[in-house]
Amino acid sequence: MPGARLFLIGFSGAGKSAVGRRATALLGWEFADTDEAIVKADGRPIPRIFAEEGEAGFRRREQEALRGMLDRERVVVSTGGGLPLDAENRRLMESAGVVVALEARPETIEARLAAVPPDNARAEGMARPMLRPGQGESAVERIAALKRERQWAYALAAWTIQTDALSIEQAAHEAARAWRRLGAAALHGGDSHVAAVVVGGEAAYPIVVGWDFLEAQAGQRFIGAGLRGRAYLICDQNVLHPYGRLVQRSLTAAGVEAHLFTFPPGEESKSLSMAARVYEWLAEMRAERRDAIVAVGGGVAGDLAGFAAATYLRGMPVFHIPTTLTAMVDSSIGGKTAVDLGAGKNLVGAFHQPALVLADVSALTTLPPRELREGWAEALKHGLALDADLVEVYESQADMLLALEPELTTEVVARNAAVKARIVTQDERETGGVRTLLNYGHTIGHGIEAASGYGRYLHGEAVAIGMTGAARIGAAHGVTPPDVVERQQVLLERFGLPSTYDALDPAAILEAMTRDKKVSAGAVSWVLLDGVGSASIHRDVDVEMVREVVEGLRAG
Amino acid sequence: MPGARLFLIGFSGAGKSAVGRRATALLGWEFADTDEAIVKADGRPIPRIFAEEGEAGFRRREQEALRGMLDRERVVVSTGGGLPLDAENRRLMESAGVVVALEARPETIEARLAAVPPDNARAEGMARPMLRPGQGESAVERIAALKRERQWAYALAAWTIQTDALSIEQAAHEAARAWRRLGAAALHGGDSHVAAVVVGGEAAYPIVVGWDFLEAQAGQRFIGAGLRGRAYLICDQNVLHPYGRLVQRSLTAAGVEAHLFTFPPGEESKSLSMAARVYEWLAEMRAERRDAIVAVGGGVAGDLAGFAAATYLRGMPVFHIPTTLTAMVDSSIGGKTAVDLGAGKNLVGAFHQPALVLADVSALTTLPPRELREGWAEALKHGLALDADLVEVYESQADMLLALEPELTTEVVARNAAVKARIVTQDERETGGVRTLLNYGHTIGHGIEAASGYGRYLHGEAVAIGMTGAARIGAAHGVTPPDVVERQQVLLERFGLPSTYDALDPAAILEAMTRDKKVSAGAVSWVLLDGVGSASIHRDVDVEMVREVVEGLRAG
């Protein structure tokens, strides 16, 4: 069974024991060592087992020791240097957890082994007899020769850490990072609620999607995701009942102390001054680094709570409980947090990946119609820019989706979460261009929001108008086929989304667009559709044509 | 000559070319490929070279191609699969840059090679003839067998990236990360001004220390550290002349557009509202992600500018130009940024490592005497907690240091920077306990600052009183020998630092201490001296005894 287990393989002196113990502390797990387990079970020191039963007898005991460890969870296992040479041992480890190789050059290994005091228990291990140099052979040569024979097996690990230049602390961090990146997939394989796992540079986290399961599961899932301290829930006054209280009950029932902070609904709360009030509340409550911030609600709650979590005490864990469609399919996934400035939306923020995203799709039934509608904009965007199959679902099943049919809606939210998770996993910090594709419709959309002072248009509405503009720009630029423009238009209308704005000055929209974060060296990167489900980035778009399109989006 | 060069080694199909090209883009470097260089120089495709001159002829050309690349800088070199088998090739690469191995399992390699269209230029490479399976051998078996022979050479890389589970984008990020971590040491080896290199999880950066070299070197060193956009300098009104202007001149002379923001001197400016003013200025100036924030000044400038850089546009590069002793030896190194809240100092912030720290020790000659004095507190702390030799320098050369004798003072600042860099490198995010040792004297120190409303005592003064308290607590707890308490006391006096406070309520200090970030599950972690240059962490300190010590620190 896959589980929370980290196996360290590698040559003697690669640091499996020291690094393993330190990584154990970082993960808050337990430590095990196959050599120690053999000696404990058998009573004889390893050289005697070797002497009396040969290598075969030792290897049999070694595999028994390894098997015995697979009952345990949350364990770091340091293995004997020869253990991964055996195919069955490798199969056991790979199916039970994540296998990480520690590497070091022969010279490093020689120096480390020479530094171990001779009465150290580890020095009694099996490595020493096999490492005794032959005639005319130096210790380094003997190590290099034996290591060379085994290197193929170490190379089959899922991750490798070259330890020569690292301190024990640094190597342990690398090992914990390997687990955080590779382990989540192993952990969540059998969980039908897990729509996707986002794998970032420092950690991985599951997106859990279900229908009406929040109160029953939130508490246990928080603990499962590692919460050991208190929970500080942040939601707006409209979300407090029922969801804020419901999550609080679920946490309390699971034995987690949970406190609530509420703020006035609306984009105006995504401000530095509201962040300051959150900070003051956290200070008053004596929040600690091991506690967690929990965002319950839509994009504003997620951005505000996420930014507070990224910055209070220089970083606390954050959990997301999205209750709007926009938050479920988009804003709760990917670690972007922000507050707005007068000069622009989301200008201040941080990348701060959550520990868990828990989306209860049944919450959509309590959303005001306009808020539900705007949420479809981001979901349509995922289809239009990245997933043609999803667009076909929107086209063929719009009625059931608009009626929030539980099973279909849950599946579509999960598929959207998976699209977003895939992109974020590929390009966590929006450095590679892939994540930029998610900004389809957002350049003009942000311009409209900024020019209208935020609030007149909901984010999704602005994005819908922005997608209409982007499609027209794409057509004029010669990349978006006319039938794609038309299919998008039909979809936006079917889901009740606007494609024009009124009573706004186009010049103000254009001016705000140039202040976007994605602007580099003064040039806007345009995300345009090549087809349905396929987008690409263009930096050579004619500014005059853009002006005409933006002017043409004005109603009437 | 060591330089900015990243060599990718590994088996065919490990991704050297695709990952290398993407890593090249991430680093902003150029790309080179030994196989391509051979074909270009020779005119014949590689299989023909093999057929006509045998492997030896090919290997000779391969080494020539590699040598030809060592004239270039800022280059990612993708190497042929057999290249690192040759000891001279390995020596050439190791002495010229950083060698990173890309790894993949034989099954992964087989699948990747099968997916390459046969007319692809890479498929014409040398790998194919050697990879042709023998009788009764599968393609995977042939790959596994050949790879097994070569594995020992790949294991000699300085870093290894297991690519099986990674996208090209992710693997490229890992390769760039390997360079950022390991490359800096190679780059700065011959630079006598580099006091230390901090190696963090995501990047490494040099601490450059000199005397009266700022105007001559700042601009070029910024460009050398990667600055390609504009510079936004942040300093207080007292530091503007001469240092703000001086740095601006140096940048302008180097062709970097540089703008200045000034704020009122003092801890009061380390606030969210001042950060908001910095944000508004950056928005007005249209700052972009490729631009840099530059902190010029003491701890307040560094913390404020660092926090703004960590959060504006979700993160911009930051450069530190410390002009106070505290900032040079301590606060500019390690990436801690913060602003204060009413409820406590540094409660809001982020870890954000700088791209470069540039300390001109001659700036100390313009500091007011009290500010210079307080700076010695952190320098003495480094010695007392971590470096006994440094304490001996303080004891034997106090006169020259207090007179700011250029050579000795520069050396002592550089040694302090190295102490701090070593600790931060070991424990970037204060998770391992090692970095906590730097908090010696800070628990009571922060309590005094908070209870006195910040400003009455300078940070270093509060830390000096805190060290006196910590020494007494250490003595009462039975860990600090009496002569160590005494030596510390003599040093503090010699450097003009206080060891008692007056007109403060001890109860207020004690109450503020419990609000420290380092408090976990309600317990304070005390850093206590075991000896001069040696500190350790204690969580079992008697609260009543602490109360008595804090009360006893009151003057009179």
Side-chain angles (χ1 to χ4, degrees), chain B residues 59-391:
Chain B
R59 296 293 171 204
R60 203 176 49 244
R61 283 179 164 64
E62 192 175 45
Q63 191 163 97
E64 277 167 29
L66 179 64
R67 278 187 205 279
M69 287 162 188
L70 304 188
D71 296 337
R72 297 164 65 179
E73 281 257 24
R74 299 169 59 83
V75 61
V76 177
V77 179
S78 167
T79 66
L83 183 140
L85 298 173
D86 180 87
E88 174 64 5
N89 287 348
R90 292 198 302 277
R91 195 196 60 76
L92 287 170
M93 293 189 290
E94 285 164 17
S95 59
V98 172
V99 182
V100 171
L102 298 187
E103 269 298 338
R105 289 174 165 244
E107 296 76 11
T108 307
I109 288 171
E110 198 275 329
R112 287 183 188 162
L113 292 179
V116 177
D119 60 343
N120 182 299
R122 297 287 309 165
E124 294 295 314
M126 60 145 300
R128 293 314 178 85
M130 300 187 73
L131 283 176
R132 205 164 296 136
Q135 193 112 37
E137 192 183 39
S138 74
V140 170
E141 283 164 353
R142 178 68 197 132
I143 289 166
L146 185 55
K147 189 163 180 288
R148 190 164 172 158
E149 285 172 24
R150 296 177 170 184
Q151 201 66 55
W152 65 274
Y154 300 147
L156 295 173
W159 201 258
T160 296
I161 301 167
Q162 217 87 21
T163 63
D164 300 83
L166 303 183
S167 67
I168 289 170
E169 184 72 24
Q170 289 177 314
H173 271 281
E174 293 295 310
R177 176 176 183 262
W179 162 257
R180 292 196 185 103
R181 290 191 62 153
L182 301 174
L187 272 189
H188 303 294
D191 187 335
S192 64
H193 283 303
V194 173
V197 172
V198 178
V199 183
E202 292 307 313
Y205 56 94
I207 318 297
V208 180
V209 179
W211 184 277
D212 198 14
F213 73 150
L214 197 53
E215 185 158 3
Q217 298 200 5
Q220 284 311 322
R221 285 193 178 268
F222 275 44
I223 290 169
L227 178 61
R228 292 294 171 270
R230 285 164 291 177
Y232 293 98
L233 278 55
I234 296 178
C235 68
D236 76 29
Q237 286 144 6
N238 290 345
V239 174
L240 175 62
H241 298 287
Y243 297 106
R245 291 296 178 198
L246 187 151
V247 175
Q248 190 179 34
R249 278 198 304 277
S250 181
L251 289 168
T252 307
V256 177
E257 191 181 324
H259 303 277
L260 261 162
F261 175 95
T262 61
F263 60 86
E267 184 81 21
E268 298 71 34
S269 288
K270 228 180 91 177
S271 64
L272 273 175
S273 59
M274 189 56 71
R277 287 173 54 184
V278 173
Y279 296 144
E280 281 153 22
W281 176 66
L282 292 169
E284 198 179 296
M285 301 300 288
R286 303 285 176 95
E288 300 178 6
R289 280 183 182 156
R290 63 191 208 118
D291 300 335
I293 307 275
V294 183
V296 186
V300 172
D303 271 358
L304 173 68
F307 180 66
T311 50
Y312 192 69
L313 305 182
R314 296 199 185 95
M316 296 175 66
V318 66
F319 290 69
H320 283 292
I321 309 227
T323 62
T324 68
L325 186 52
T326 314
M328 289 180 194
V329 302
D330 184 20
S331 62
S332 69
I333 304 164
K336 281 193 182 177
T337 73
V339 294
D340 301 333
L341 296 181
K345 218 169 128 77
N346 296 328
L347 284 179
V348 172
F351 283 94
H352 190 56
Q353 300 295 343
L356 172 72
V357 178
L358 193 58
D360 187 332
V361 183
S362 73
L364 300 184
T365 58
T366 64
L367 275 188
R370 188 177 168 198
E371 263 189 74
L372 179 59
R373 255 196 324 266
E374 72 135 353
W376 286 111
E378 299 286 1
L380 297 183
K381 180 202 74 180
H382 282 148
L384 289 162
L386 293 153
D387 188 337
D389 291 347
L390 210 39
V391 172

Side-chain angles (χ1 to χ4, degrees), chain A residues 396-449:
Chain A
S396 62
Q397 321 239 39
D399 291 342
M400 280 170 78
L401 288 171
L402 289 167
L404 294 178
E405 193 282 320
E407 201 173 327
L408 179 69
T409 312
T410 304
E411 190 198 317
V412 163
V413 168
R415 281 183 63 173
N416 268 282
V419 168
K420 177 82 189 257
R422 176 166 58 84
I423 297 297
V424 170
T425 293
Q426 279 180 55
D427 183 15
E428 184 179 9
R429 297 241 165 165
E430 204 165 347
T431 44
V434 186
R435 188 161 180 171
T436 308
L437 299 180
L438 293 171
N439 291 319
Y440 179 59
H442 280 60
T443 303
I444 297 176
H446 283 162
I448 288 172
E449 288 183 278

Side-chain angles (χ1 to χ4, degrees), chain A residues 22 26 94 103-107 147-149 151-152 154-162 164-167 169-170 173-174 177 181-182 199-202 272 275-276 279-280 283-284 286 288-290 303 307 310-315 335-338 341-343 346-351 425-434 511 514-523, chain B residues 22 26 94 103-107 147-149 151-152 154-162 164-167 169-170 173-174 177 181-182 199-202 272 275-276 279-280 283-284 286 288-290 303 307 310-315 335-338 341-343 346-351 425-434 511 514-523:
Chain A
R22 191 65 204 122
L26 290 175
E94 285 165 16
E103 270 298 339
R105 290 174 163 243
E107 295 76 11
K147 188 163 181 288
R148 189 165 173 157
E149 286 171 25
Q151 201 66 56
W152 66 274
Y154 301 146
L156 295 172
W159 200 257
T160 296
I161 301 167
Q162 218 86 21
D164 301 83
L166 303 183
S167 67
E169 184 73 23
Q170 289 177 313
H173 271 280
E174 293 294 312
R177 176 176 182 262
R181 291 191 62 153
L182 301 174
V199 183
E202 292 307 312
L272 273 175
Y279 296 143
E280 281 154 21
E284 198 179 294
R286 305 284 176 95
E288 299 178 7
R289 280 183 182 156
R290 65 192 207 115
D303 272 357
F307 180 66
T311 49
Y312 192 69
L313 304 182
R314 297 199 184 96
K336 280 192 181 177
T337 72
L341 295 182
N346 297 327
L347 283 179
V348 173
F351 283 94
T425 293
Q426 279 180 55
D427 183 15
E428 184 179 9
R429 297 241 165 165
E430 204 165 347
T431 44
V434 186
E511 139 67 31
T514 65
R515 224 176 297 134
D516 200 87
K517 278 187 298 303
K518 263 73 68 180
V519 169
S520 175
Chain B
R22 190 65 204 120
L26 290 175
E94 285 164 17
E103 269 298 338
R105 289 174 165 244
E107 296 76 11
K147 189 163 180 288
R148 190 164 172 158
E149 285 172 24
Q151 201 66 55
W152 65 274
Y154 300 147
L156 295 173
W159 201 258
T160 296
I161 301 167
Q162 217 87 21
D164 300 83
L166 303 183
S167 67
E169 184 72 24
Q170 289 177 314
H173 271 281
E174 293 295 310
R177 176 176 183 262
R181 290 191 62 153
L182 301 174
V199 183
E202 292 307 313
L272 273 175
Y279 296 144
E280 281 153 22
E284 198 179 296
R286 303 285 176 95
E288 300 178 6
R289 280 183 182 156
R290 63 191 208 118
D303 271 358
F307 180 66
T311 50
Y312 192 69
L313 305 182
R314 296 199 185 95
K336 281 193 182 177
T337 73
L341 296 181
N346 296 328
L347 284 179
V348 172
F351 283 94
T425 293
Q426 281 180 54
D427 182 15
E428 185 178 7
R429 297 239 164 169
E430 204 165 346
T431 45
V434 185
E511 147 48 45
T514 65
R515 225 177 298 135
D516 200 86
K517 279 187 299 302
K518 262 74 67 180
V519 169
S520 175

Side-chain angles (χ1 to χ4, degrees), chain A residues 161-404:
Chain A
I161 301 167
Q162 218 86 21
T163 64
D164 301 83
L166 303 183
S167 67
I168 289 171
E169 184 73 23
Q170 289 177 313
H173 271 280
E174 293 294 312
R177 176 176 182 262
W179 162 256
R180 293 196 187 102
R181 291 191 62 153
L182 301 174
L187 271 190
H188 303 294
D191 187 335
S192 64
H193 283 303
V194 173
V197 172
V198 178
V199 183
E202 292 307 312
Y205 56 94
I207 317 297
V208 180
V209 179
W211 184 276
D212 198 14
F213 73 149
L214 197 54
E215 185 158 3
Q217 298 199 6
Q220 284 310 322
R221 285 192 179 269
F222 274 46
I223 291 169
L227 178 60
R228 294 291 171 272
R230 285 164 292 175
Y232 293 98
L233 279 55
I234 296 178
C235 67
D236 76 28
Q237 286 144 7
N238 291 345
V239 173
L240 176 61
H241 298 286
Y243 296 106
R245 291 295 179 198
L246 188 152
V247 174
Q248 189 179 36
R249 278 200 302 278
S250 182
L251 288 167
T252 307
V256 177
E257 191 181 323
H259 302 278
L260 263 162
F261 176 95
T262 61
F263 60 86
E267 184 82 20
E268 298 70 33
S269 288
K270 228 179 92 177
S271 63
L272 273 175
S273 60
M274 189 57 72
R277 285 173 54 184
V278 173
Y279 296 143
E280 281 154 21
W281 176 65
L282 292 169
E284 198 179 294
M285 302 300 289
R286 305 284 176 95
E288 299 178 7
R289 280 183 182 156
R290 65 192 207 115
D291 301 333
I293 308 276
V294 183
V296 185
V300 172
D303 272 357
L304 174 67
F307 180 66
T311 49
Y312 192 69
L313 304 182
R314 297 199 184 96
M316 297 175 65
V318 66
F319 290 69
H320 281 295
I321 309 231
T323 62
T324 68
L325 186 52
T326 315
M328 288 179 194
V329 302
D330 184 21
S331 62
S332 68
I333 304 163
K336 280 192 181 177
T337 72
V339 293
D340 301 333
L341 295 182
K345 220 170 126 79
N346 297 327
L347 283 179
V348 173
F351 283 94
H352 190 55
Q353 301 294 342
L356 171 72
V357 178
L358 193 57
D360 188 331
V361 184
S362 73
L364 301 184
T365 59
T366 63
L367 275 189
R370 188 178 169 197
E371 262 189 74
L372 179 58
R373 258 197 321 268
E374 72 133 356
W376 286 111
E378 299 286 1
L380 297 183
K381 180 202 74 181
H382 282 149
L384 290 162
L386 293 153
D387 189 338
D389 293 348
L390 209 40
V391 172
E392 286 180 21
V393 175
Y394 297 142
E395 290 174 332
S396 62
Q397 321 239 39
D399 291 342
M400 280 170 78
L401 288 171
L402 289 167
L404 294 178

